[in-house]
Amino acid sequence: MSVHKNAKRITTHTLQTMKEHGEKIAMLTAYDYSLAKIVDSSGVDVILVGDSASNVMAGHETTLPITLDQMIYHAASVVRAAEKALVVVDLPFGSYQGNSKNALDSAIRIMKESGGHAVKLEGGAEIKESIERILTAGIPVMGHLGLTPQSIYKFGTYQVRAKEEVEAQKLIEDARLLASVGCFALVLEKVPAALAKRVAEEIPIPVIGIGAGPDVDGQVLVLHDMVGISHEFKPRFLRQYMQLFDAMQEAIGQYVQDVRSKDFPNSKEQY
Ligand code: KIV
């Protein structure tokens, strides 16, 4: 019997058991009630209310503009839909980097006002104090290393991270640190597969990859990318399971045609 199937609700403890049993963790983003309902009922373990909402929902170029209030709005909608999945909510840029009190206040607002189950923060040693303070309040924390989009203006590009030895070494140390302070899981974004494998083997908590190869404990994708709504974004790591942009465009085009030709509504589609 699989750990996922056995669980009534997915908790941080379930994810740890899945790692120990070698059962892969499936994580996807969602930002609204309707799509979160589909994601939750499809067997996904973790729904991430990612700050990628800034890109896919609001059309911003980066994740930086989204606010804490907006994240809480998205997260509350997702929480209302999720019956089984663990809901993890990103702390947005500017809501935790200032100091650990700022980080704790932001995490508490997310937990209280959205009903989310855990928070995710980007970074390693530089945010250790904030993570510890959030954990002290009993709030589970997921880490995020590698390509951390909130630091895009420092990196300058969205290219693969930690290809060089110095950066790879720093990532390994940060991963060890996040596990040792008590994070329940770690996202590794866009790093070489061999490095991700090494981290997943070395640290005891689940490592969830995006563009980090197959030898980690689970995978995460942005929902709108994997169903082809954001059809222009096609990085190498992405598998597109549908071309929803094209399918919806065709359906909507047909609707427009039916309205214009007076085919819609017909005699059965009225009172
Ligand atoms: O915001 C997000 O969607 C994320 C994932 C890409 C991991 O952080």
Side-chain angles (χ1 to χ4, degrees):
M1 190 66 161
S2 86
V3 179
H4 173 97
K5 281 209 178 108
N6 241 354
K8 212 161 175 273
R9 268 214 93 111
I10 306 297
T11 64
T12 57
H13 179 75
T14 320
L15 301 181
Q16 185 62 41
T17 312
M18 287 175 80
K19 173 164 178 132
E20 282 154 20
H21 283 68
E23 189 174 319
K24 298 281 186 186
I25 296 162
M27 172 159 134
L28 264 184
T29 63
Y31 320 103
D32 66 41
Y33 177 82
S34 306
L35 292 184
K37 266 257 168 247
I38 300 174
V39 172
D40 183 68
S41 63
S42 308
V44 158
D45 301 293
V46 184
I47 302 181
L48 172 66
V49 185
D51 59 358
S52 50
S54 180
N55 310 106
V56 291
M57 300 301 286
H60 292 296
E61 206 174 302
T62 72
T63 58
L64 275 65
I66 199 159
T67 65
L68 186 57
D69 284 338
Q70 288 164 341
M71 287 303 297
I72 289 169
Y73 169 79
H74 287 299
S77 309
V78 169
V79 167
R80 284 193 284 275
E83 289 176 26
K84 177 152 181 177
L86 182 83
V87 178
V88 179
V89 186
D90 265 341
L91 282 190
F93 177 70
S95 72
Y96 63 98
Q97 289 92 345
N99 57 55
S100 62
K101 167 82 169 65
N102 174 223
L104 177 62
D105 289 346
S106 303
I108 287 176
R109 278 202 62 203
I110 289 201
M111 302 300 282
K112 248 189 188 317
E113 296 176 39
S114 78
H117 309 136
V119 295
K120 175 163 83 59
L121 282 75
E122 295 182 5
E126 61 285 1
I127 56 161
K128 173 174 177 271
E129 200 186 306
S130 295
I131 292 176
E132 283 176 328
R133 200 151 171 188
I134 295 171
L135 287 167
T136 309
I139 301 171
V141 175
M142 177 180 269
H144 184 156
L145 296 172
L147 177 66
T148 46
Q150 291 180 13
S151 308
I152 186 58
Y153 290 115
K154 185 174 120 195
F155 296 147
T157 76
Y158 286 101
Q159 277 164 13
V160 180
R161 306 301 313 171
K163 279 163 93 175
E164 306 302 329
E165 186 51 33
V166 177
E167 199 185 337
Q169 202 48 48
K170 157 100 170 89
L171 186 144
I172 292 168
E173 280 160 25
D174 278 340
R176 285 189 194 130
L177 178 88
L178 294 179
S180 73
V181 297
C183 286
F184 73 88
L186 171 66
V187 166
L188 278 187
E189 179 164 354
K190 247 183 153 179
V191 299
L195 175 63
K197 177 175 192 279
R198 183 171 163 199
V199 173
E201 281 169 0
E202 214 180 285
I203 66 170
I205 59 171
V207 174
I208 301 177
I210 171 163
D215 298 314
V216 284
D217 306 301
Q219 299 292 329
V220 55
L221 284 176
V222 169
L223 175 67
H224 290 61
D225 298 340
M226 64 83 69
V227 296
I229 295 179
S230 30
H231 71 314
E232 277 161 10
F233 181 67
K234 286 185 187 149
R236 190 196 318 181
F237 68 76
L238 174 65
R239 185 175 294 178
Q240 253 187 7
Y241 287 82
M242 303 172 75
Q243 273 73 46
L244 211 47
F245 185 99
D246 297 336
M248 286 184 73
Q249 200 178 45
E250 202 182 311
I252 294 165
Q254 184 63 55
Y255 163 74
V256 171
Q257 211 177 302
D258 291 351
V259 170
R260 298 227 167 102
S261 68
K262 300 181 190 161
D263 178 76
F264 175 79
N266 64 26
S267 57
K268 288 190 194 129
E269 292 162 333
Q270 57 183 278
Y271 301 100

